[in-house]
Every structure is written in C-alpha cells, then in structure tokens.
Amino acid sequence: MLIGFAITRSLTPHIELLPLLFLTILSSLVEEIEFPGFGVRQLQRGTRWPWHCCSDTATLSKAKAYRR
C-alpha cells in the first residue's frame, strides 16, 4: 500500500496542522475507546453476563490479538 501511494500520490506543499492532528491522534484515540466499548456491549447483550465478566473477556481477547 505504501509503495502504491508513493507511486500514485504526491506530497502537498501546504500541510495543515488541524487535519493532521485529527487524522493521527483523535481518530486513533476514538477507535481505541469506541470499538472495545461496542464489543463489551454486544457481548453483554448476547450472553447476558454481568458487565465485569464481559469487560474482562473483551480485554483478554484484545490482549491476545495484540500479542500475536
């Protein structure tokens, strides 16, 4: 993907700070908050487990995914 972007795109001479910060920091922060919360809620709805069991399960599955 990086090679394809390097071939087909060009660098912009005027980089704006606000969109750059939004794309690099805020987007990743929101993803890290939103996605596990959505997973915990879906697990809780589907299994009817208590919240702390669903939260622990989601945390362990995310840790397992990052460990690979």
Side-chain angles (χ1 to χ4, degrees):
M1 185 195 271
L2 289 175
I3 293 170
F5 281 151
I7 293 171
T8 61
R9 308 287 181 188
S10 63
L11 292 176
T12 181
H14 56 283
I15 296 175
E16 296 179 23
L17 185 61
L18 190 60
L20 183 65
L21 287 175
F22 176 77
L23 290 173
T24 57
I25 296 173
L26 189 62
S27 298
S28 59
L29 181 65
V30 167
E31 188 273 333
E32 287 296 326
I33 294 170
E34 183 71 26
F35 186 69
F38 179 73
V40 167
R41 182 67 181 136
Q42 291 300 316
L43 186 62
Q44 189 177 20
R45 281 179 151 180
T47 60
R48 306 229 187 254
W49 290 351
W51 181 85
H52 59 87
C53 293
C54 295
S55 176
D56 293 345
T57 304
T59 302
L60 290 174
S61 66
K62 188 172 184 177
K64 180 71 174 170
Y66 281 151
R67 190 169 184 215
R68 290 182 180 206

CSV table of all heavy atoms in Angstrom, one decimal, residues 20-41:
chain,number,residue,atom,x,y,z
A,20,LEU,N,-4.1,17.2,10.2
A,20,LEU,CA,-3.1,16.2,10.5
A,20,LEU,C,-3.3,15.7,11.9
A,20,LEU,O,-3.2,14.4,12.1
A,20,LEU,CB,-1.7,16.8,10.3
A,20,LEU,CG,-0.5,15.9,10.5
A,20,LEU,CD1,-0.5,14.8,9.5
A,20,LEU,CD2,0.7,16.7,10.5
A,21,LEU,N,-3.5,16.5,12.9
A,21,LEU,CA,-3.7,16.1,14.3
A,21,LEU,C,-5.0,15.2,14.4
A,21,LEU,O,-5.0,14.2,15.1
A,21,LEU,CB,-3.8,17.3,15.2
A,21,LEU,CG,-2.5,18.0,15.5
A,21,LEU,CD1,-2.8,19.2,16.3
A,21,LEU,CD2,-1.5,17.1,16.1
A,22,PHE,N,-6.0,15.6,13.7
A,22,PHE,CA,-7.3,14.9,13.7
A,22,PHE,C,-7.1,13.5,13.2
A,22,PHE,O,-7.5,12.5,13.8
A,22,PHE,CB,-8.3,15.6,12.9
A,22,PHE,CG,-9.6,14.8,12.8
A,22,PHE,CD1,-10.5,14.8,13.9
A,22,PHE,CD2,-9.9,14.1,11.7
A,22,PHE,CE1,-11.7,14.1,13.8
A,22,PHE,CE2,-11.1,13.4,11.6
A,22,PHE,CZ,-12.0,13.4,12.7
A,23,LEU,N,-6.4,13.3,12.1
A,23,LEU,CA,-6.2,12.0,11.4
A,23,LEU,C,-5.2,11.1,12.2
A,23,LEU,O,-5.4,9.9,12.3
A,23,LEU,CB,-5.7,12.2,10.0
A,23,LEU,CG,-6.7,12.7,9.0
A,23,LEU,CD1,-6.1,13.0,7.7
A,23,LEU,CD2,-7.9,11.8,8.9
A,24,THR,N,-4.3,11.7,12.9
A,24,THR,CA,-3.3,10.9,13.6
A,24,THR,C,-3.6,10.6,15.0
A,24,THR,O,-3.4,9.5,15.5
A,24,THR,CB,-1.9,11.6,13.5
A,24,THR,OG1,-2.0,12.9,14.1
A,24,THR,CG2,-1.4,11.7,12.1
A,25,ILE,N,-4.1,11.6,15.7
A,25,ILE,CA,-4.3,11.4,17.2
A,25,ILE,C,-5.8,11.1,17.5
A,25,ILE,O,-6.1,10.1,18.1
A,25,ILE,CB,-3.8,12.7,17.9
A,25,ILE,CG1,-2.3,12.8,17.7
A,25,ILE,CG2,-4.1,12.6,19.4
A,25,ILE,CD1,-1.7,14.1,18.3
A,26,LEU,N,-6.7,12.0,17.1
A,26,LEU,CA,-8.0,11.9,17.5
A,26,LEU,C,-8.7,10.6,17.0
A,26,LEU,O,-9.4,9.9,17.7
A,26,LEU,CB,-8.8,13.1,17.2
A,26,LEU,CG,-10.2,13.2,17.7
A,26,LEU,CD1,-10.2,13.3,19.2
A,26,LEU,CD2,-11.0,14.4,17.2
A,27,SER,N,-8.4,10.3,15.7
A,27,SER,CA,-9.1,9.1,15.1
A,27,SER,C,-8.6,7.9,15.8
A,27,SER,O,-9.5,7.0,16.1
A,27,SER,CB,-8.7,9.0,13.6
A,27,SER,OG,-9.2,10.2,13.0
A,28,SER,N,-7.4,7.7,16.1
A,28,SER,CA,-6.9,6.5,16.8
A,28,SER,C,-7.4,6.4,18.2
A,28,SER,O,-7.7,5.4,18.7
A,28,SER,CB,-5.4,6.4,16.7
A,28,SER,OG,-4.8,7.5,17.3
A,29,LEU,N,-7.5,7.6,18.9
A,29,LEU,CA,-8.0,7.6,20.3
A,29,LEU,C,-9.5,7.2,20.3
A,29,LEU,O,-9.9,6.4,21.2
A,29,LEU,CB,-7.8,9.0,20.9
A,29,LEU,CG,-8.3,9.2,22.3
A,29,LEU,CD1,-7.4,8.3,23.2
A,29,LEU,CD2,-8.2,10.6,22.7
A,30,VAL,N,-10.3,7.7,19.4
A,30,VAL,CA,-11.7,7.4,19.4
A,30,VAL,C,-11.8,5.9,19.0
A,30,VAL,O,-12.7,5.2,19.6
A,30,VAL,CB,-12.4,8.3,18.3
A,30,VAL,CG1,-13.8,7.7,18.1
A,30,VAL,CG2,-12.5,9.7,18.9
A,31,GLU,N,-11.0,5.4,18.1
A,31,GLU,CA,-11.1,3.9,17.8
A,31,GLU,C,-10.8,3.1,19.0
A,31,GLU,O,-11.5,2.1,19.3
A,31,GLU,CB,-10.2,3.6,16.6
A,31,GLU,CG,-10.3,2.2,16.1
A,31,GLU,CD,-9.5,1.2,16.8
A,31,GLU,OE1,-8.5,1.5,17.4
A,31,GLU,OE2,-9.9,0.0,16.8
A,32,GLU,N,-9.8,3.4,19.8
A,32,GLU,CA,-9.4,2.6,20.9
A,32,GLU,C,-10.5,2.7,22.0
A,32,GLU,O,-10.6,1.8,22.8
A,32,GLU,CB,-8.1,3.1,21.5
A,32,GLU,CG,-6.9,2.8,20.7
A,32,GLU,CD,-6.7,1.3,20.6
A,32,GLU,OE1,-7.0,0.5,21.5
A,32,GLU,OE2,-6.3,0.8,19.5
A,33,ILE,N,-11.3,3.7,22.1
A,33,ILE,CA,-12.3,3.9,23.1
A,33,ILE,C,-13.6,3.2,22.6
A,33,ILE,O,-14.3,2.5,23.3
A,33,ILE,CB,-12.6,5.3,23.5
A,33,ILE,CG1,-11.4,5.9,24.2
A,33,ILE,CG2,-13.8,5.5,24.3
A,33,ILE,CD1,-11.4,7.4,24.4
A,34,GLU,N,-14.0,3.5,21.3
A,34,GLU,CA,-15.3,3.1,20.8
A,34,GLU,C,-15.4,1.6,20.5
A,34,GLU,O,-16.4,0.9,20.9
A,34,GLU,CB,-15.6,3.9,19.5
A,34,GLU,CG,-16.9,3.6,18.9
A,34,GLU,CD,-18.0,4.2,19.7
A,34,GLU,OE1,-17.8,5.1,20.4
A,34,GLU,OE2,-19.1,3.6,19.6
A,35,PHE,N,-14.4,1.0,19.9
A,35,PHE,CA,-14.5,-0.4,19.5
A,35,PHE,C,-14.6,-1.4,20.7
A,35,PHE,O,-15.5,-2.2,20.7
A,35,PHE,CB,-13.4,-0.7,18.6
A,35,PHE,CG,-13.5,-2.1,18.0
A,35,PHE,CD1,-14.5,-2.4,17.1
A,35,PHE,CD2,-12.7,-3.1,18.4
A,35,PHE,CE1,-14.6,-3.7,16.5
A,35,PHE,CE2,-12.8,-4.4,17.9
A,35,PHE,CZ,-13.8,-4.7,16.9
A,36,PRO,N,-13.7,-1.2,21.7
A,36,PRO,CA,-13.9,-2.2,22.8
A,36,PRO,C,-15.2,-1.9,23.6
A,36,PRO,O,-15.8,-2.9,24.0
A,36,PRO,CB,-12.7,-1.8,23.8
A,36,PRO,CG,-11.7,-1.2,22.9
A,36,PRO,CD,-12.5,-0.5,21.8
A,37,GLY,N,-15.7,-0.7,23.6
A,37,GLY,CA,-17.0,-0.5,24.3
A,37,GLY,C,-18.1,-1.1,23.5
A,37,GLY,O,-19.1,-1.7,24.1
A,38,PHE,N,-18.1,-1.1,22.2
A,38,PHE,CA,-19.1,-1.7,21.4
A,38,PHE,C,-19.0,-3.2,21.5
A,38,PHE,O,-20.0,-3.9,21.7
A,38,PHE,CB,-18.8,-1.3,19.9
A,38,PHE,CG,-19.8,-2.0,19.0
A,38,PHE,CD1,-21.1,-1.6,18.9
A,38,PHE,CD2,-19.4,-3.0,18.1
A,38,PHE,CE1,-22.0,-2.2,18.0
A,38,PHE,CE2,-20.3,-3.6,17.3
A,38,PHE,CZ,-21.6,-3.2,17.2
A,39,GLY,N,-17.8,-3.8,21.6
A,39,GLY,CA,-17.7,-5.2,21.8
A,39,GLY,C,-18.2,-5.7,23.1
A,39,GLY,O,-18.8,-6.7,23.2
A,40,VAL,N,-17.9,-4.9,24.2
A,40,VAL,CA,-18.4,-5.3,25.5
A,40,VAL,C,-19.9,-5.3,25.5
A,40,VAL,O,-20.6,-6.2,26.1
A,40,VAL,CB,-17.8,-4.4,26.6
A,40,VAL,CG1,-18.6,-4.5,27.9
A,40,VAL,CG2,-16.4,-4.6,26.8
A,41,ARG,N,-20.5,-4.3,24.9
A,41,ARG,CA,-22.0,-4.1,24.9
A,41,ARG,C,-22.6,-5.3,24.1
A,41,ARG,O,-23.6,-5.8,24.6
A,41,ARG,CB,-22.4,-2.8,24.4
A,41,ARG,CG,-23.9,-2.5,24.4
A,41,ARG,CD,-24.4,-2.4,25.8
A,41,ARG,NE,-25.8,-2.2,25.8
A,41,ARG,CZ,-26.7,-2.8,26.6
A,41,ARG,NH1,-26.2,-3.6,27.5
A,41,ARG,NH2,-27.9,-2.6,26.5
